[in-house]
Amino acid sequence: MSNNIKRIAVMTSGGDAPGMNAAIRAVVRSCAYHGLECYGIFRGYEGMIEGDFEELGPRSVKNIINRGGTFLKSARSKEFRTAEGRLKAYQELTKAGIDAMVVIGGDGTFTGAHILYKEHGFPIVGLPGTIDNDINGTDYTIGYDTALNTVVEAIDKIRDTASSHNRLFLVEVMGRDAGDIALNAGVGAGAEEILIPEQDMGQDRLLESLKRSKKSGKTSSIVVVAEGDQIGKNILGLADYIREHLTEYEVKVTVLGHIQRGGTPSCYDRVLASRLGVGAIDALLAGEKDVMIGISHNKVVTVPFKHAIEGENEIDIELIRVADITSV
Amino acid sequence: MSNNIKRIAVMTSGGDAPGMNAAIRAVVRSCAYHGLECYGIFRGYEGMIEGDFEELGPRSVKNIINRGGTFLKSARSKEFRTAEGRLKAYQELTKAGIDAMVVIGGDGTFTGAHILYKEHGFPIVGLPGTIDNDINGTDYTIGYDTALNTVVEAIDKIRDTASSHNRLFLVEVMGRDAGDIALNAGVGAGAEEILIPEQDMGQDRLLESLKRSKKSGKTSSIVVVAEGDQIGKNILGLADYIREHLTEYEVKVTVLGHIQRGGTPSCYDRVLASRLGVGAIDALLAGEKDVMIGISHNKVVTVPFKHAIEGENEIDIELIRVADITSV
Amino acid sequence: MSNNIKRIAVMTSGGDAPGMNAAIRAVVRSCAYHGLECYGIFRGYEGMIEGDFEELGPRSVKNIINRGGTFLKSARSKEFRTAEGRLKAYQELTKAGIDAMVVIGGDGTFTGAHILYKEHGFPIVGLPGTIDNDINGTDYTIGYDTALNTVVEAIDKIRDTASSHNRLFLVEVMGRDAGDIALNAGVGAGAEEILIPEQDMGQDRLLESLKRSKKSGKTSSIVVVAEGDQIGKNILGLADYIREHLTEYEVKVTVLGHIQRGGTPSCYDRVLASRLGVGAIDALLAGEKDVMIGISHNKVVTVPFKHAIEGENEIDIELIRVADITSV
Amino acid sequence: MSNNIKRIAVMTSGGDAPGMNAAIRAVVRSCAYHGLECYGIFRGYEGMIEGDFEELGPRSVKNIINRGGTFLKSARSKEFRTAEGRLKAYQELTKAGIDAMVVIGGDGTFTGAHILYKEHGFPIVGLPGTIDNDINGTDYTIGYDTALNTVVEAIDKIRDTASSHNRLFLVEVMGRDAGDIALNAGVGAGAEEILIPEQDMGQDRLLESLKRSKKSGKTSSIVVVAEGDQIGKNILGLADYIREHLTEYEVKVTVLGHIQRGGTPSCYDRVLASRLGVGAIDALLAGEKDVMIGISHNKVVTVPFKHAIEGENEIDIELIRVADITSV
């Protein structure tokens, strides 16, 4: 225990994700539980460099477990990418008497933390907070489950119109490199086709598939497209291509956009955030540093930052088969 | 009573709107209540011309009051725009022994019904079903209240991200000619600015206003833009313009799109649809024809089609003032 | 204009209702717009007596338009019911230099305000904030529309189970004296029967109606019961009575309870709250006092407190007929 | 492959759960995919005995993935509990040419299926469909995730009122034998205390804890109570006990009841149901019988019915600690 840690800071960085507030709350309360002081750092690495800190007690985080976004705010910092910027950040942390830190964010956030640790030996533990579920070593990231529900609810609404008008809708969802949101939300929304970056379907196979759908008696169709998919990148062009070659379809496009990042977190994300927040303080007290706290097989696990930020997203072959079968 | 009406048809046409199913249900059950036969016409005027009819009893419409879209489906019909098409439609109606009809839709739907009545004397009553609230003579259209809630919920989510990142979001909502959705949802979502077709703000006044917001201490902003607004029509161009002139803002664009048409109807829309559906059968039995059934000052009223489809949308001056004051 | 009003206080009192925060926000920002100072009073009349005040600027009320409850909190005050208590309250108000006040609540709140005005001449304007919609002189109260949506969403869920199991559900909703919630949400939820305080149906007519439902082919049923209904008051007893006399039904009871008071306000309630909040400051500046600001025929109106708190709730005969017809 | 299976039946039984329709859809479409015929059995074992079967093609299950409840309906069957009843059921299945079956339900459903297999050798595979998450050998049951979200959303609403009025709310949630819902939803809702059947806290320790909460500055509290908890069983009595001993608290009780069983399934439940439905047909084609298809460590697994229905629910010690820490 101990390692002489008495004052801990917590920070969110990168794109916001539902459940970040629940994670901050768990960190702050876990500090109180262990008799540690806790400081919030505002606006990510930017605020760290500027020394924008504030002490947080257990009542500071009341009534935030259900709120989307992050009350500590988030920002990108060019300065932190320089060695000078990181030195300044380190000096602000030590000046404020902070002994260790919990950062909540995605791989960019972890990369920054990893370098700060390497350069200055500052003990940092990370929590995976991003809707993209693209972090190595954790089965789920905080915010992913909520984003899936948001996408599925949105497509449920679009399906009302699709089936009322016998239309084909192309729905673009987030996922520049990872098709997790598209694949899971596509299966959950009952999409006819799902286009993901990990797998290039090709326009012609998509056309073939849509023709088969029509023949099988389907009167309306939803195609879910991850923004990073090869043929879906230019979604308006894809719509034109389909219109040209499948004249029986009335094709419409919807880009879901930023609604996917916000919203009240799901129960799963709140519980995950609470478990990981508690786990972060446990890890720091046990002398861990330069690691992410993740969830694997429903157990809280420790993963070196180095491992968390490397690796390519793997495609879930079983789920692709489920998608194919259930859209018969 | 009577007018010898024994068999009534019901149909939805134009863009779908939440609450259309609740309206159909009320029409069908009201027919059963009065001992009349009821037929559903599928796919609007298209299905009318093709004789795509089906008898509906009170149990045919169970468990649909809460579903978005329209189970009778909707479609556009080029053929109905010709006198030959309308003659065919009239012949199908009489061949099926239908004595009168209820149509649910917007001004295009009413225009078609009005002409059919003028050419063939067929008794038709209309119900205003459109999210746009742009029909003359009724305070509310079926689907409008639900669309407002959908927009406000979406902007609530976007605001999570906006305030986490201190960003400016331009959010495009439906409304080619009418700013009702933008103005009401903008006030409801706490938007800083609302751009509507009825009022040309001009890019410069928008810039001035955003500068004032920033000075007054606002760290994030939502601008709601009706798709038909003069300077908002090209929303991507507008975003570029703001980026260029207000470099302190990080500007993002979200187009809400088709999620605004779907979804489970609100209680208000279900009750309105039920009242108007009952009112439609009352009106037909009282000998009315060539009229819309609307709501005015919370009373069910009868409005000639001719009046319903004319007139420009009026801007609500009081609400614009409320928007200005509450975004101080 | 003016009346030398420079500092205004705002307060919520009585049961909380969704939209109260939106109303506070509108009052605070309207003060800022007119160059007036604004103070929040915490915990209703209790906090008024204790001088629990805090200055509120336009940024104090950011990001609250979408939150249920009231951040100024609410409480009951025994002391305010005494002349001494009210004198103390008056003295605290004057000591703090407050010239006029906006109170948000129901008839109990208005009664208190009316007496305070009569005893001490203090200028007060009230806003109707209650889910019960039981205030005279306004078509809608702030929170009512949201409560209707909450009830309808809950019954939609219960209907899933009811129709999966062919059951009869008795669902108790709020409404001790007024059946507005039960009647509107009952129509919106497609209830088979609706029991309200204003109309005593009697157990036998309910049994008859349920028998007819069964015969007409209905396999499941929802009966919405206002808590103040004559035969529904003892809802468990009513369930037993039905079980005994209609053995073919499996009867279940659900009491919705306090979920009806909370939740994110609907767009309608947010807009209504914003309009009335702006209207309250307009009224005070125009020299009004001892009045409620309400909505009538979609216009903001001024109603003497005396009129707002008197009168019995009237039953909407037309809507009862709609309920009867649409549940055929 | 094969085993000469050509015709498969699917059935739901026991309490309904969100996602059952998604599971039926996956079974039906997987049959179509493999070229098998599929029949739906209505009203569980009751309908099996009565031969209430209907052929289902891939289009029969369109637009149901997002609907709560089960369109095949569910019922309890006394007759199936007798050997004669089961013989009759078996005869109906063979008469209809059905070669194998998928049943969706909880441990009662599996027990029935296990006996039917033992007595008549009929190949049956089960899917865990219940909100209670109390089945051995699967990490999650279909419907559980949705129920957690429903409970958390309801408590979010109650918290609005609790914190507006500084009240203590006792909220009863489902769980006669298992505290999973209470524990997870309690952590997710930020409850101060969580009472579960697996652990008897005792009234005195609850009082002590609530006193500590008050001292630590909490002004409102939510206590989540599983219906099977020792001291929470009589929730009204518990409320009285608290009122008597902690007079500073205003105590309110809400029983969430049947809203927990219904509602649109979450994305997780839809995907889980789809995977398990596909897995069920895979298993039958691979010659499996007398087994449940579950999910373990995010892989589809096969569990003998005998194992699935035995065993006590285990309490998650780590999550109890998280609950204690995050409610500091």
Side-chain angles (χ1 to χ4, degrees):
Chain A
M1 275 302 144
S2 95
N3 293 296
N4 290 326
I5 291 178
K6 285 181 186 142
R7 188 173 289 174
I8 284 176
V10 59
M11 174 188 104
T12 49
S13 170
D16 64 315
M20 279 186 161
N21 279 326
I24 298 166
R25 174 182 177 269
V27 168
V28 171
R29 296 212 165 158
S30 193
C31 284
Y33 178 87
H34 289 292
L36 305 169
E37 289 177 345
C38 189
Y39 278 71
I41 300 173
F42 287 86
R43 292 173 303 114
Y45 290 118
E46 193 76 16
M48 192 188 290
I49 291 171
E50 298 174 14
D52 192 357
F53 306 154
E54 190 179 300
E55 189 165 0
L56 299 174
R59 296 288 75 73
S60 315
V61 290
K62 74 176 178 183
N63 291 336
I64 67 165
I65 196 170
N66 59 334
R67 296 211 187 127
T70 158
F71 88 100
L72 290 179
K73 308 217 167 190
S74 188
R76 285 190 207 134
S77 172
K78 278 188 192 163
E79 202 178 348
F80 191 80
R81 294 195 181 163
T82 67
E84 295 74 29
R86 289 190 295 273
L87 176 62
K88 240 160 118 183
Y90 172 70
Q91 289 169 335
E92 289 291 334
L93 289 171
T94 46
K95 206 173 74 184
I98 291 166
D99 304 311
M101 186 164 59
V102 181
V103 298
I104 308 166
D107 51 6
T109 305
F110 294 168
T111 303
H114 179 53
I115 298 175
L116 191 66
Y117 171 73
K118 283 206 301 192
E119 288 178 353
H120 302 286
F122 199 83
I124 311 182
V125 158
L127 300 186
T130 161
I131 63 165
D132 292 326
N133 207 36
D134 58 352
I135 305 292
N136 222 14
T138 187
D139 290 345
Y140 295 100
T141 56
I142 298 166
Y144 173 60
D145 183 65
T146 304
L148 290 182
N149 284 329
T150 300
V151 171
V152 156
E153 281 165 31
I155 301 182
D156 283 354
K157 287 180 184 161
I158 292 169
R159 188 174 285 282
D160 286 340
T161 294
S163 69
S164 295
H165 289 273
N166 297 346
R167 280 178 184 162
L168 170 65
F169 269 90
L170 306 182
V171 182
E172 184 187 293
V173 303
M174 287 194 171
R176 247 167 239 161
D177 308 304
D180 292 59
I181 290 180
L183 186 53
N184 278 272
V187 169
E192 275 62 44
E193 286 297 338
I194 302 166
L195 307 181
I196 54 177
E198 292 90 343
Q199 209 190 33
D200 185 9
M201 193 187 205
Q203 292 187 323
D204 293 340
R205 271 180 54 209
L206 177 62
L207 282 190
E208 282 313 310
S209 166
L210 291 173
K211 276 183 200 159
R212 270 200 311 278
S213 283
K214 199 81 180 178
K215 269 189 200 146
S216 81
K218 290 193 189 185
T219 53
S220 64
S221 287
I222 304 282
V223 176
V224 171
V225 184
E227 53 184 344
D229 176 69
Q230 209 52 34
I231 67 168
K233 261 175 193 163
N234 176 1
I235 197 165
L236 297 175
L238 179 61
D240 283 340
Y241 184 83
I242 298 172
R243 277 185 201 110
E244 198 184 322
H245 290 83
L246 292 177
T247 49
E248 65 270 39
Y249 271 110
E250 189 187 347
V251 187
K252 297 276 174 182
V253 170
T254 291
V255 176
L256 289 188
H258 280 86
I259 60 165
Q260 296 168 81
R261 292 209 172 277
T264 295
S266 69
C267 184
Y268 185 85
D269 274 333
R270 300 185 196 188
V271 172
L272 177 63
S274 300
R275 292 173 71 185
L276 299 186
V278 167
I281 302 304
D282 289 347
L284 283 174
L285 289 177
E288 296 276 6
K289 49 195 75 164
D290 200 27
V291 296
M292 174 187 78
I293 307 300
I295 192 98
S296 177
H297 294 175
N298 204 25
K299 297 281 169 220
V300 174
V301 295
T302 299
V303 182
F305 272 146
K306 226 189 132 174
H307 177 56
I309 58 189
E310 80 189 358
E312 297 240 326
N313 204 53
E314 271 174 55
I315 194 169
D316 186 340
I317 300 289
E318 180 231 332
L319 197 51
I320 290 180
R321 182 173 171 262
V322 168
D324 285 344
I325 293 177
T326 55
S327 62
V328 150
Chain B
M1 276 299 145
S2 98
N3 295 298
N4 290 326
I5 291 177
K6 284 179 187 144
R7 188 173 288 175
I8 284 176
V10 59
M11 173 187 105
T12 49
S13 171
D16 64 317
M20 279 185 160
N21 279 326
I24 297 166
R25 174 181 176 268
V27 167
V28 170
R29 295 210 166 158
S30 192
C31 285
Y33 178 87
H34 290 290
L36 305 169
E37 290 178 344
C38 189
Y39 278 72
I41 300 174
F42 286 86
R43 293 174 299 115
Y45 291 119
E46 193 76 17
M48 193 189 288
I49 289 170
E50 297 173 15
D52 193 357
F53 307 154
E54 192 179 296
E55 189 166 1
L56 300 173
R59 296 288 74 72
S60 315
V61 288
K62 74 175 176 184
N63 290 337
I64 66 165
I65 196 171
N66 59 334
R67 296 213 184 123
T70 158
F71 88 98
L72 290 178
K73 306 213 169 192
S74 188
R76 288 194 203 130
S77 173
K78 278 187 193 164
E79 203 178 347
F80 191 79
R81 295 197 181 163
T82 66
E84 296 74 29
R86 289 190 294 273
L87 177 61
K88 240 159 119 183
Y90 172 70
Q91 289 168 338
E92 289 293 333
L93 289 171
T94 46
K95 205 172 75 183
I98 291 165
D99 304 310
M101 185 162 60
V102 180
V103 298
I104 308 166
D107 51 6
T109 305
F110 294 168
T111 303
H114 179 55
I115 298 175
L116 192 67
Y117 171 74
K118 283 206 302 191
E119 288 178 355
H120 303 287
F122 199 83
I124 311 181
V125 157
L127 300 186
T130 163
I131 64 166
D132 292 326
N133 207 36
D134 58 353
I135 305 292
N136 222 13
T138 188
D139 291 344
Y140 295 101
T141 56
I142 298 166
Y144 173 61
D145 184 65
T146 304
L148 290 182
N149 283 327
T150 300
V151 171
V152 156
E153 282 166 30
I155 300 181
D156 283 352
K157 288 179 182 160
I158 292 169
R159 187 174 286 280
D160 286 341
T161 293
S163 69
S164 295
H165 289 272
N166 297 346
R167 280 178 184 158
L168 170 66
F169 269 90
L170 305 182
V171 182
E172 184 187 294
V173 302
M174 286 193 171
R176 250 169 236 158
D177 308 303
D180 292 57
I181 290 181
L183 186 53
N184 277 273
V187 169
E192 274 63 43
E193 284 298 336
I194 304 166
L195 307 182
I196 54 176
E198 291 91 343
Q199 208 189 32
D200 187 7
M201 192 186 205
Q203 292 186 322
D204 294 338
R205 271 180 54 207
L206 177 61
L207 282 191
E208 283 312 310
S209 166
L210 292 173
K211 276 183 202 160
R212 268 200 312 276
S213 284
K214 199 79 178 178
K215 271 192 201 146
S216 81
K218 291 194 188 183
T219 53
S220 63
S221 288
I222 304 281
V223 176
V224 171
V225 183
E227 55 185 341
D229 175 70
Q230 209 53 32
I231 68 168
K233 260 177 192 161
N234 176 3
I235 196 165
L236 297 175
L238 179 61
D240 283 340
Y241 184 83
I242 298 174
R243 277 185 202 110
E244 199 183 321
H245 290 82
L246 292 177
T247 48
E248 66 269 39
Y249 270 111
E250 190 186 347
V251 187
K252 298 276 175 181
V253 169
T254 290
V255 176
L256 289 188
H258 280 86
I259 60 166
Q260 297 168 81
R261 292 208 171 281
T264 296
S266 68
C267 184
Y268 185 85
D269 274 332
R270 300 185 196 188
V271 172
L272 176 64
S274 300
R275 292 173 72 184
L276 298 187
V278 166
I281 302 305
D282 288 346
L284 282 173
L285 289 177
E288 296 277 4
K289 53 194 74 164
D290 199 26
V291 294
M292 173 187 79
I293 307 300
I295 193 97
S296 177
H297 294 175
N298 205 25
K299 298 282 168 217
V300 174
V301 294
T302 300
V303 182
F305 273 145
K306 227 188 133 176
H307 177 56
I309 59 190
E310 81 191 355
E312 296 241 326
N313 205 54
E314 271 173 55
I315 196 171
D316 186 339
I317 300 288
E318 180 230 332
L319 197 51
I320 290 180
R321 181 172 172 263
V322 168
D324 286 343
I325 292 176
T326 55
S327 62
V328 149
Chain C
M1 276 296 147
S2 96
N3 294 295
N4 290 324
I5 291 177
K6 285 181 186 142
R7 187 173 290 173
I8 283 176
V10 59
M11 175 188 102
T12 50
S13 170
D16 65 314
M20 280 185 161
N21 279 326
I24 298 167
R25 174 181 178 270
V27 167
V28 170
R29 296 211 165 157
S30 192
C31 284
Y33 179 87
H34 290 291
L36 305 169
E37 290 177 344
C38 188
Y39 278 72
I41 300 174
F42 287 86
R43 292 173 304 113
Y45 290 119
E46 194 76 15
M48 192 188 291
I49 289 172
E50 297 173 14
D52 193 358
F53 307 154
E54 191 179 298
E55 189 165 1
L56 300 174
R59 295 288 77 70
S60 315
V61 290
K62 74 175 177 185
N63 290 337
I64 66 165
I65 196 171
N66 59 335
R67 295 212 187 124
T70 158
F71 88 98
L72 290 179
K73 306 218 169 189
S74 188
R76 287 192 204 131
S77 173
K78 277 187 193 163
E79 203 178 346
F80 191 79
R81 295 197 181 161
T82 66
E84 294 74 29
R86 290 189 296 271
L87 177 62
K88 241 159 116 183
Y90 173 70
Q91 288 168 338
E92 289 292 335
L93 290 170
T94 47
K95 206 171 73 185
I98 292 166
D99 304 311
M101 186 165 59
V102 180
V103 298
I104 308 166
D107 50 7
T109 305
F110 294 168
T111 302
H114 179 52
I115 298 176
L116 192 67
Y117 172 73
K118 283 207 300 190
E119 287 177 355
H120 302 287
F122 199 83
I124 311 181
V125 157
L127 301 186
T130 163
I131 63 166
D132 292 326
N133 207 34
D134 57 353
I135 305 291
N136 222 15
T138 187
D139 290 345
Y140 295 101
T141 56
I142 298 165
Y144 172 62
D145 184 64
T146 304
L148 290 182
N149 283 329
T150 300
V151 171
V152 156
E153 281 166 30
I155 300 181
D156 283 353
K157 288 181 183 160
I158 292 170
R159 187 174 287 280
D160 285 341
T161 294
S163 69
S164 296
H165 289 272
N166 298 345
R167 280 179 185 160
L168 170 65
F169 269 90
L170 305 183
V171 182
E172 186 186 293
V173 302
M174 285 193 173
R176 249 170 236 158
D177 308 304
D180 292 59
I181 290 180
L183 186 52
N184 277 272
V187 168
E192 274 63 44
E193 286 297 337
I194 302 165
L195 307 182
I196 54 176
E198 291 90 344
Q199 206 190 36
D200 186 9
M201 192 187 204
Q203 293 187 322
D204 294 339
R205 272 179 54 206
L206 177 62
L207 283 191
E208 282 314 308
S209 165
L210 291 173
K211 276 183 201 160
R212 271 199 311 275
S213 285
K214 198 81 181 179
K215 269 190 201 146
S216 82
K218 291 193 189 183
T219 53
S220 64
S221 287
I222 304 281
V223 176
V224 171
V225 184
E227 52 185 345
D229 176 69
Q230 208 53 33
I231 68 169
K233 262 176 192 163
N234 175 3
I235 197 166
L236 298 174
L238 179 63
D240 283 340
Y241 183 83
I242 298 172
R243 277 185 201 110
E244 199 184 320
H245 290 83
L246 291 177
T247 48
E248 66 271 37
Y249 271 112
E250 191 187 346
V251 187
K252 298 274 174 185
V253 170
T254 290
V255 175
L256 290 187
H258 280 85
I259 60 166
Q260 296 167 82
R261 292 208 172 280
T264 295
S266 67
C267 184
Y268 185 85
D269 275 331
R270 300 185 196 189
V271 173
L272 177 63
S274 300
R275 292 174 71 185
L276 298 187
V278 167
I281 302 305
D282 288 346
L284 282 174
L285 289 178
E288 295 276 5
K289 51 195 74 164
D290 199 28
V291 296
M292 174 186 78
I293 306 301
I295 193 99
S296 177
H297 293 173
N298 205 24
K299 296 281 169 218
V300 174
V301 293
T302 299
V303 182
F305 273 146
K306 226 187 132 178
H307 177 56
I309 60 189
E310 80 190 357
E312 297 241 326
N313 204 53
E314 269 174 56
I315 195 170
D316 185 340
I317 300 288
E318 180 230 332
L319 196 52
I320 290 180
R321 181 171 172 262
V322 168
D324 285 344
I325 292 177
T326 55
S327 62
V328 149
Chain D
M1 275 300 146
S2 96
N3 296 296
N4 290 325
I5 290 177
K6 285 181 186 141
R7 187 173 291 174
I8 284 176
V10 60
M11 172 187 105
T12 49
S13 171
D16 64 316
M20 280 186 159
N21 279 326
I24 297 167
R25 172 180 178 270
V27 167
V28 170
R29 295 211 167 158
S30 193
C31 284
Y33 178 87
H34 290 291
L36 305 169
E37 290 177 346
C38 189
Y39 277 72
I41 301 174
F42 287 85
R43 291 171 303 116
Y45 290 120
E46 193 76 16
M48 193 189 289
I49 290 170
E50 297 173 16
D52 192 358
F53 307 155
E54 191 178 297
E55 189 165 1
L56 300 174
R59 295 286 78 68
S60 315
V61 290
K62 75 175 175 184
N63 290 336
I64 67 164
I65 196 171
N66 59 335
R67 295 212 185 126
T70 158
F71 88 98
L72 291 179
K73 307 217 167 191
S74 188
R76 289 194 201 127
S77 172
K78 278 186 192 165
E79 204 179 346
F80 191 78
R81 296 197 179 160
T82 67
E84 295 75 30
R86 289 189 296 271
L87 177 61
K88 240 159 118 182
Y90 173 70
Q91 289 169 338
E92 288 292 333
L93 289 170
T94 47
K95 208 172 73 184
I98 292 165
D99 303 311
M101 185 163 61
V102 180
V103 298
I104 307 165
D107 51 7
T109 305
F110 293 169
T111 303
H114 180 53
I115 298 176
L116 192 67
Y117 172 73
K118 283 207 301 190
E119 287 178 354
H120 303 286
F122 198 83
I124 312 182
V125 157
L127 301 186
T130 162
I131 63 165
D132 292 327
N133 206 35
D134 58 352
I135 305 291
N136 222 15
T138 189
D139 291 344
Y140 295 101
T141 55
I142 298 165
Y144 172 60
D145 184 65
T146 305
L148 289 182
N149 283 329
T150 301
V151 171
V152 156
E153 281 166 31
I155 300 182
D156 282 353
K157 288 181 182 158
I158 291 169
R159 188 175 285 281
D160 286 340
T161 293
S163 68
S164 296
H165 289 273
N166 297 346
R167 280 179 185 160
L168 170 65
F169 269 91
L170 305 181
V171 182
E172 185 186 293
V173 304
M174 285 193 173
R176 248 170 237 158
D177 308 305
D180 292 58
I181 290 180
L183 186 52
N184 278 273
V187 169
E192 274 64 42
E193 286 296 337
I194 303 166
L195 307 181
I196 55 175
E198 291 91 343
Q199 208 191 32
D200 186 7
M201 191 187 207
Q203 292 185 324
D204 293 339
R205 273 180 54 208
L206 178 61
L207 282 191
E208 282 313 310
S209 165
L210 292 174
K211 276 182 202 161
R212 269 198 312 278
S213 285
K214 199 80 181 179
K215 270 191 200 144
S216 81
K218 291 194 189 184
T219 52
S220 64
S221 288
I222 304 281
V223 176
V224 171
V225 184
E227 54 184 344
D229 175 70
Q230 210 54 34
I231 67 167
K233 261 176 191 162
N234 177 2
I235 197 166
L236 297 175
L238 179 61
D240 284 339
Y241 183 83
I242 298 172
R243 275 183 205 113
E244 199 182 323
H245 290 81
L246 292 177
T247 48
E248 65 269 39
Y249 270 113
E250 191 187 345
V251 187
K252 297 276 175 181
V253 170
T254 290
V255 176
L256 290 188
H258 280 86
I259 60 166
Q260 295 168 82
R261 292 210 172 278
T264 295
S266 68
C267 184
Y268 184 86
D269 275 331
R270 300 185 196 189
V271 172
L272 177 63
S274 300
R275 293 173 69 185
L276 298 187
V278 166
I281 302 305
D282 288 346
L284 283 173
L285 290 177
E288 296 277 5
K289 51 195 73 164
D290 200 27
V291 296
M292 173 187 79
I293 306 301
I295 192 96
S296 177
H297 293 175
N298 204 23
K299 297 282 168 217
V300 174
V301 294
T302 299
V303 182
F305 273 146
K306 226 189 133 176
H307 176 57
I309 60 190
E310 82 192 355
E312 296 240 327
N313 204 54
E314 271 174 55
I315 194 171
D316 186 340
I317 300 289
E318 181 230 332
L319 198 51
I320 290 181
R321 182 173 170 263
V322 168
D324 285 344
I325 292 177
T326 55
S327 62
V328 149

